[in-house]
Amino acid sequence: MSIRVSPGELARVRARHPQAIAEAAARRVRRPLVRGGGRLLIIAADHPARGALGVGEDAFAMADRRVLLERLCLALSRPGVDGVLASADILEDLLLLGALDDKVVIGSMNRGGLAGAAFELDDRFTGHRAQDLARLGFDAGKLLLRVDYDDPGSLDTLHSAARAIDEMAERRLPVFVEPFICHRRDGRLRNDLRAEPVTRSLAIASGLAGTSAYTWLKVPVTEDPDDMARVMATTTLPAVLLGGDVGGTAAEQEAAYEKWRSALQLPTVQGLVAGRTLLYPADGDVAGAVDTAVGLL
């Protein structure tokens, strides 16, 4: 049984009893990464640590931590939800709230590429290290791998990502790699979701490090969903779909669900990781959005 506090007590516990986080981690009821039917639904909440707080037209939708935690706890309580992906601060809040028992816990590893910054592609590992994930008994890690062929700094990102994968494999910890080929347009970084760049990004990510034994891929749905079968033929590594930011209207959300439904039928796709789409749905019904995603699996 994990230590449990109310949301209003989090700051007091953190100030007076910081060791409660390690105690809660030690008592957490763990589970295998994959079990039963082998399909995963993971709720993502690592956006704030990169300064990405917006959802739709609201630039600070994720800025209220108490509201975010309430939505996360609701999402995690729904049947069929396997776990959560987040930065250290959010995962530790959830530990103290007792929301992570029998859930897959994935720590976000590189959050240094702040959204909109000139150094956004210098995505350093400022989050969980492999030793942190092992110490806390978490189940996996996740890293973002964005490559711009016109940016020499992308080589540093590739190198540090490869070494992080090696460190995870040494501890037999799975790591979810989220690769993109990207470009700057009008000063903003854009991920290229056409079939050819996504295919290339999967090939690059699959070949990183000294072993791929513990590597999973976190893959976006391409601009044309009909291309996904050809794209996913690039690798034999297990993959989960990236939910992404699908827009703020009910129609956009429904269109995203249909894209996910089709891609989830592919043999290497093992599940779905979605965040803002499920935590901040257009109609405000978190439970309904999560239950719809569960139904897609």
Side-chain angles (χ1 to χ4, degrees):
M1 182 86 170
S2 295
I3 293 176
R4 284 170 168 78
V5 301
S6 69
E9 295 176 311
L10 285 171
R12 179 185 60 80
V13 171
R14 283 178 169 278
R16 301 181 184 180
H17 190 42
Q19 63 269 33
I21 292 168
E23 293 167 3
R27 292 182 175 90
R28 183 176 72 90
V29 177
R30 298 184 63 182
R31 53 154 279 181
L33 176 64
V34 179
R35 68 182 181 188
R39 307 288 270 175
L40 284 171
L41 177 57
I42 303 296
I43 308 297
D46 59 342
H47 314 84
R50 207 169 58 82
L53 299 169
V55 180
E57 298 297 318
D58 187 348
F60 289 93
M62 300 185 77
D64 189 319
R65 180 54 55 87
R66 185 162 181 169
V67 171
L68 174 58
L69 291 172
E70 288 172 352
R71 290 170 181 253
L72 277 168
C73 288
L74 175 57
L76 288 167
S77 73
R78 303 304 296 171
V81 174
D82 292 282
V84 62
L85 156 65
S87 53
D89 56 330
I90 292 176
L91 291 182
E92 290 164 358
D93 282 344
L94 292 171
L95 274 174
L96 293 172
L97 294 171
L100 298 183
D101 281 342
D102 199 37
K103 298 296 181 185
V104 172
V105 181
I106 304 174
S108 192
M109 302 178 74
N110 60 329
R111 298 282 82 190
L114 302 184
F119 53 85
E120 187 169 352
L121 277 175
D122 189 359
D123 212 345
R124 301 192 186 188
F125 284 72
T126 58
H128 287 104
R129 301 166 299 173
Q131 57 262 46
D132 300 320
L133 298 170
R135 171 175 49 82
L136 290 164
F138 290 166
D139 305 296
K142 171 256 180 178
L143 64 88
L144 182 58
L145 179 67
R146 294 175 295 180
V147 175
D148 184 346
Y149 277 57
D150 294 323
D151 188 332
S154 290
L155 182 58
D156 290 333
T157 301
L158 282 165
H159 180 264
S160 59
R163 299 293 75 81
I165 295 169
D166 284 333
E167 291 169 5
M168 293 290 283
E170 287 174 3
R171 294 164 174 83
R172 299 184 179 182
L173 283 171
V175 57
F176 291 75
V177 181
E178 182 180 338
F180 292 101
I181 302 297
C182 53
H183 315 282
R184 288 200 180 273
R185 299 176 191 162
D186 302 322
R188 293 187 62 188
L189 196 65
R190 308 281 186 177
N191 297 325
D192 194 335
L193 298 183
R194 294 174 300 159
E196 290 77 9
V198 175
T199 298
R200 191 176 296 114
S201 73
L202 299 189
I204 293 168
S206 298
L208 285 178
T211 178
S212 61
Y214 293 90
T215 303
W216 287 57
L217 298 175
K218 190 165 174 266
V219 183
V221 178
T222 52
E223 287 180 355
D224 184 347
D226 292 338
D227 290 329
M228 283 299 291
R230 176 164 55 92
V231 168
M232 293 310 301
T234 309
T235 180
T236 57
L237 300 186
V240 291
L241 295 182
L242 164 65
D245 191 359
V246 301
T249 69
E252 289 170 322
Q253 197 152 357
E254 189 58 38
Y257 291 152
E258 192 54 42
K259 288 181 179 181
W260 298 349
R261 189 192 312 277
S262 175
L264 283 165
Q265 307 308 311
L266 298 171
T268 54
V269 177
Q270 308 295 307
L272 172 69
V273 179
R276 290 169 286 192
T277 305
L278 303 183
L279 293 173
Y280 296 85
D283 61 3
D285 183 4
V286 175
V290 171
D291 293 347
T292 298
V294 171
L296 298 178
L297 297 175

